[in-house]
Amino acid sequence: MAIEHDYFGLLSSGPDGSIFWSETVDLGDQAVTVDLTAPDQDDVSQDALDIAASLISGIEDVDDTARRGMLAEVDDRTSEVTEYILQQQLAYGDELENVLVDVSGDAAVDIIRSMRLMSMTILADEHGGSEPFAVLEYALDPDDADEVLLVNLASDGSVQSVMSAD
């Protein structure tokens, strides 16, 4: 079986009924891997695919929303965003300014601004549910897969949570 959609084309299901679609999209001068997945194609609605397509098409806005979500957690000393920022400051030490794209004097803002959006995974079967519909993976160092922040979005595009990958 398969699902057809204007944006994604024909989404064929595997022998187990799952669907998977992958593409690389441009975000400024960055290439971002976008995956759409669902364990059972019967759980994927046209609405979910329409929303997924709009998230991909509007990836700049999605990125802005995610970064604002991270910034909103900076004042909470117990947040995973604050923990990530402290880890990066400790790891880079005096070399931190060399990896930042902009140095304003506010390390938290500068680190969040300098993080790279590595990937966006859309969990198409979670449309309208309480679990994340999309997960965005950010890293200050694209080569360090262990030091990332994950921003979870609801199907309406709002930030549900930000967490470290561990």
Short mmCIF file of all heavy atoms in Angstrom, two decimals, residues 32-70:
data_model
loop_
_atom_site.label_atom_id
_atom_site.label_comp_id
_atom_site.label_asym_id
_atom_site.label_seq_id
_atom_site.Cartn_x
_atom_site.Cartn_y
_atom_site.Cartn_z
N VAL A 32 20.04 20.71 5.93
CA VAL A 32 19.35 20.06 7.05
C VAL A 32 18.69 18.78 6.55
O VAL A 32 17.95 18.80 5.56
CB VAL A 32 18.29 20.99 7.66
CG1 VAL A 32 17.57 20.32 8.82
CG2 VAL A 32 18.91 22.32 8.10
N THR A 33 18.95 17.67 7.23
CA THR A 33 18.30 16.41 6.89
C THR A 33 16.90 16.40 7.50
O THR A 33 16.74 16.64 8.70
CB THR A 33 19.10 15.22 7.45
OG1 THR A 33 20.43 15.28 6.92
CG2 THR A 33 18.45 13.90 7.10
N VAL A 34 15.91 16.13 6.66
CA VAL A 34 14.52 16.05 7.12
C VAL A 34 14.02 14.64 6.85
O VAL A 34 14.10 14.15 5.72
CB VAL A 34 13.62 17.08 6.41
CG1 VAL A 34 12.18 16.94 6.88
CG2 VAL A 34 14.13 18.49 6.64
N ASP A 35 13.52 14.00 7.89
CA ASP A 35 12.95 12.66 7.77
C ASP A 35 11.49 12.71 8.20
O ASP A 35 11.14 13.39 9.16
CB ASP A 35 13.68 11.66 8.68
CG ASP A 35 15.13 11.45 8.29
OD1 ASP A 35 15.45 11.54 7.10
OD2 ASP A 35 15.95 11.22 9.20
N LEU A 36 10.66 11.99 7.49
CA LEU A 36 9.27 11.79 7.88
C LEU A 36 9.11 10.29 8.07
O LEU A 36 9.51 9.50 7.20
CB LEU A 36 8.32 12.29 6.80
CG LEU A 36 6.84 12.09 7.13
CD1 LEU A 36 6.09 13.39 6.96
CD2 LEU A 36 6.24 11.02 6.24
N THR A 37 8.55 9.92 9.20
CA THR A 37 8.44 8.50 9.50
C THR A 37 7.15 8.21 10.26
O THR A 37 6.59 9.09 10.91
CB THR A 37 9.67 8.03 10.33
OG1 THR A 37 9.59 6.64 10.54
CG2 THR A 37 9.76 8.74 11.66
N ALA A 38 6.70 7.00 10.12
CA ALA A 38 5.54 6.50 10.88
C ALA A 38 5.61 4.98 10.88
O ALA A 38 5.89 4.37 9.84
CB ALA A 38 4.23 6.96 10.26
N PRO A 39 5.37 4.35 12.04
CA PRO A 39 5.45 2.89 12.10
C PRO A 39 4.31 2.19 11.37
O PRO A 39 4.44 1.03 10.99
CB PRO A 39 5.41 2.58 13.59
CG PRO A 39 4.84 3.79 14.24
CD PRO A 39 5.13 4.95 13.34
N ASP A 40 3.20 2.90 11.14
CA ASP A 40 2.06 2.30 10.46
C ASP A 40 1.39 3.36 9.59
O ASP A 40 0.87 4.35 10.12
CB ASP A 40 1.07 1.73 11.47
CG ASP A 40 -0.05 0.94 10.84
OD1 ASP A 40 -0.25 1.02 9.60
OD2 ASP A 40 -0.75 0.23 11.58
N GLN A 41 1.40 3.15 8.29
CA GLN A 41 0.83 4.16 7.39
C GLN A 41 -0.65 4.41 7.66
O GLN A 41 -1.16 5.48 7.36
CB GLN A 41 1.05 3.76 5.94
CG GLN A 41 0.11 2.70 5.43
CD GLN A 41 0.20 2.56 3.92
OE1 GLN A 41 1.13 3.02 3.29
NE2 GLN A 41 -0.80 1.90 3.36
N ASP A 42 -1.34 3.45 8.26
CA ASP A 42 -2.76 3.63 8.56
C ASP A 42 -2.99 4.71 9.62
O ASP A 42 -4.10 5.21 9.77
CB ASP A 42 -3.39 2.31 9.01
CG ASP A 42 -3.44 1.28 7.89
OD1 ASP A 42 -3.41 1.68 6.70
OD2 ASP A 42 -3.48 0.07 8.20
N ASP A 43 -1.92 5.05 10.37
CA ASP A 43 -2.03 6.08 11.41
C ASP A 43 -1.67 7.47 10.90
O ASP A 43 -1.60 8.41 11.68
CB ASP A 43 -1.11 5.73 12.58
CG ASP A 43 -1.55 4.47 13.31
OD1 ASP A 43 -2.75 4.12 13.22
OD2 ASP A 43 -0.70 3.83 13.96
N VAL A 44 -1.42 7.60 9.59
CA VAL A 44 -1.01 8.88 9.01
C VAL A 44 -2.16 9.47 8.21
O VAL A 44 -2.65 8.86 7.26
CB VAL A 44 0.23 8.69 8.10
CG1 VAL A 44 0.64 10.01 7.47
CG2 VAL A 44 1.38 8.09 8.90
N SER A 45 -2.56 10.68 8.58
CA SER A 45 -3.67 11.35 7.89
C SER A 45 -3.12 12.34 6.86
O SER A 45 -1.95 12.75 6.92
CB SER A 45 -4.54 12.09 8.90
OG SER A 45 -3.81 13.17 9.46
N GLN A 46 -3.97 12.75 5.95
CA GLN A 46 -3.60 13.78 4.98
C GLN A 46 -3.29 15.09 5.71
O GLN A 46 -2.38 15.82 5.31
CB GLN A 46 -4.72 13.99 3.95
CG GLN A 46 -4.81 12.89 2.91
CD GLN A 46 -3.59 12.83 2.01
OE1 GLN A 46 -3.01 13.83 1.61
NE2 GLN A 46 -3.16 11.60 1.69
N ASP A 47 -4.03 15.38 6.79
CA ASP A 47 -3.76 16.58 7.58
C ASP A 47 -2.33 16.55 8.15
O ASP A 47 -1.64 17.56 8.14
CB ASP A 47 -4.76 16.73 8.74
CG ASP A 47 -6.12 17.22 8.28
OD1 ASP A 47 -6.22 17.71 7.14
OD2 ASP A 47 -7.06 17.11 9.08
N ALA A 48 -1.93 15.39 8.64
CA ALA A 48 -0.58 15.26 9.19
C ALA A 48 0.47 15.52 8.11
O ALA A 48 1.47 16.21 8.35
CB ALA A 48 -0.38 13.87 9.80
N LEU A 49 0.24 15.00 6.91
CA LEU A 49 1.18 15.22 5.81
C LEU A 49 1.17 16.68 5.36
O LEU A 49 2.22 17.24 5.04
CB LEU A 49 0.85 14.29 4.65
CG LEU A 49 1.04 12.79 4.94
CD1 LEU A 49 0.60 11.96 3.74
CD2 LEU A 49 2.49 12.48 5.31
N ASP A 50 0.00 17.32 5.38
CA ASP A 50 -0.07 18.74 5.02
C ASP A 50 0.72 19.59 6.03
O ASP A 50 1.46 20.50 5.65
CB ASP A 50 -1.53 19.22 4.99
CG ASP A 50 -2.32 18.65 3.82
OD1 ASP A 50 -1.70 18.10 2.87
OD2 ASP A 50 -3.57 18.72 3.88
N ILE A 51 0.56 19.28 7.31
CA ILE A 51 1.29 20.02 8.34
C ILE A 51 2.79 19.76 8.22
O ILE A 51 3.60 20.69 8.32
CB ILE A 51 0.76 19.66 9.75
CG1 ILE A 51 -0.66 20.19 9.92
CG2 ILE A 51 1.69 20.20 10.84
CD1 ILE A 51 -1.38 19.68 11.13
N ALA A 52 3.16 18.52 7.98
CA ALA A 52 4.58 18.18 7.80
C ALA A 52 5.17 18.96 6.63
O ALA A 52 6.27 19.53 6.73
CB ALA A 52 4.74 16.68 7.58
N ALA A 53 4.44 19.02 5.53
CA ALA A 53 4.91 19.77 4.35
C ALA A 53 5.07 21.25 4.68
O ALA A 53 6.05 21.87 4.25
CB ALA A 53 3.95 19.57 3.19
N SER A 54 4.14 21.80 5.45
CA SER A 54 4.25 23.23 5.79
C SER A 54 5.42 23.48 6.74
O SER A 54 6.07 24.52 6.65
CB SER A 54 2.94 23.76 6.38
OG SER A 54 2.69 23.22 7.65
N LEU A 55 5.72 22.54 7.63
CA LEU A 55 6.89 22.68 8.51
C LEU A 55 8.18 22.68 7.68
O LEU A 55 9.08 23.48 7.93
CB LEU A 55 6.94 21.56 9.54
CG LEU A 55 5.92 21.57 10.67
CD1 LEU A 55 6.06 20.33 11.54
CD2 LEU A 55 6.03 22.83 11.50
N ILE A 56 8.24 21.80 6.71
CA ILE A 56 9.44 21.71 5.87
C ILE A 56 9.57 22.97 5.01
O ILE A 56 10.65 23.56 4.91
CB ILE A 56 9.41 20.43 5.01
CG1 ILE A 56 9.42 19.20 5.90
CG2 ILE A 56 10.60 20.42 4.05
CD1 ILE A 56 9.05 17.91 5.19
N SER A 57 8.48 23.38 4.39
CA SER A 57 8.50 24.57 3.53
C SER A 57 8.84 25.83 4.33
O SER A 57 9.48 26.74 3.81
CB SER A 57 7.15 24.76 2.84
OG SER A 57 6.88 23.66 2.00
N GLY A 58 8.41 25.88 5.57
CA GLY A 58 8.66 27.04 6.43
C GLY A 58 9.74 26.78 7.45
O GLY A 58 9.65 27.24 8.59
N ILE A 59 10.77 26.05 7.07
CA ILE A 59 11.80 25.63 8.02
C ILE A 59 12.48 26.82 8.70
O ILE A 59 12.89 26.73 9.86
CB ILE A 59 12.82 24.66 7.39
CG1 ILE A 59 13.61 23.95 8.49
CG2 ILE A 59 13.69 25.37 6.37
CD1 ILE A 59 14.32 22.71 8.04
N GLU A 60 12.56 27.97 8.02
CA GLU A 60 13.16 29.15 8.64
C GLU A 60 12.34 29.58 9.85
O GLU A 60 12.89 29.88 10.92
CB GLU A 60 13.27 30.31 7.65
CG GLU A 60 14.25 30.07 6.53
CD GLU A 60 13.61 29.36 5.33
OE1 GLU A 60 12.37 29.10 5.34
OE2 GLU A 60 14.35 29.06 4.38
N ASP A 61 11.01 29.61 9.70
CA ASP A 61 10.14 29.99 10.81
C ASP A 61 10.17 28.95 11.92
O ASP A 61 10.13 29.29 13.10
CB ASP A 61 8.70 30.18 10.32
CG ASP A 61 8.56 31.38 9.39
OD1 ASP A 61 9.36 32.33 9.50
OD2 ASP A 61 7.65 31.35 8.53
N VAL A 62 10.22 27.69 11.54
CA VAL A 62 10.30 26.61 12.52
C VAL A 62 11.59 26.74 13.33
O VAL A 62 11.59 26.61 14.56
CB VAL A 62 10.22 25.22 11.83
CG1 VAL A 62 10.50 24.10 12.81
CG2 VAL A 62 8.85 25.04 11.18
N ASP A 63 12.69 27.03 12.65
CA ASP A 63 13.98 27.23 13.31
C ASP A 63 13.90 28.41 14.28
O ASP A 63 14.36 28.31 15.42
CB ASP A 63 15.06 27.46 12.25
CG ASP A 63 16.43 27.70 12.84
OD1 ASP A 63 16.87 26.89 13.70
OD2 ASP A 63 17.08 28.69 12.45
N ASP A 64 13.30 29.52 13.86
CA ASP A 64 13.15 30.68 14.75
C ASP A 64 12.33 30.33 15.99
O ASP A 64 12.69 30.71 17.10
CB ASP A 64 12.47 31.84 14.01
CG ASP A 64 13.37 32.51 12.99
OD1 ASP A 64 14.61 32.33 13.04
OD2 ASP A 64 12.82 33.23 12.11
N THR A 65 11.24 29.61 15.80
CA THR A 65 10.39 29.19 16.92
C THR A 65 11.18 28.32 17.89
O THR A 65 11.10 28.50 19.11
CB THR A 65 9.16 28.43 16.41
OG1 THR A 65 8.39 29.30 15.58
CG2 THR A 65 8.30 27.92 17.55
N ALA A 66 11.95 27.38 17.36
CA ALA A 66 12.74 26.48 18.21
C ALA A 66 13.80 27.25 19.00
O ALA A 66 13.99 27.01 20.20
CB ALA A 66 13.40 25.40 17.36
N ARG A 67 14.46 28.19 18.35
CA ARG A 67 15.50 28.97 19.04
C ARG A 67 14.87 29.86 20.11
O ARG A 67 15.44 30.02 21.20
CB ARG A 67 16.31 29.79 18.04
CG ARG A 67 17.21 28.90 17.18
CD ARG A 67 17.99 29.70 16.15
NE ARG A 67 18.55 28.85 15.13
CZ ARG A 67 19.76 28.28 15.19
NH1 ARG A 67 20.53 28.46 16.23
NH2 ARG A 67 20.18 27.51 14.20
N ARG A 68 13.70 30.43 19.84
CA ARG A 68 13.01 31.21 20.87
C ARG A 68 12.62 30.31 22.06
O ARG A 68 12.68 30.72 23.21
CB ARG A 68 11.77 31.90 20.28
CG ARG A 68 12.11 33.14 19.50
CD ARG A 68 10.87 34.01 19.20
NE ARG A 68 9.76 33.29 18.61
CZ ARG A 68 9.60 33.07 17.30
NH1 ARG A 68 10.50 33.49 16.45
NH2 ARG A 68 8.54 32.42 16.87
N GLY A 69 12.23 29.08 21.75
CA GLY A 69 11.92 28.11 22.81
C GLY A 69 13.13 27.82 23.68
O GLY A 69 13.02 27.70 24.90
N MET A 70 14.30 27.69 23.05
CA MET A 70 15.53 27.47 23.83
C MET A 70 15.85 28.69 24.68
O MET A 70 16.18 28.57 25.86
CB MET A 70 16.70 27.14 22.90
CG MET A 70 16.63 25.75 22.30
SD MET A 70 18.12 25.34 21.36
CE MET A 70 17.67 25.90 19.72
#
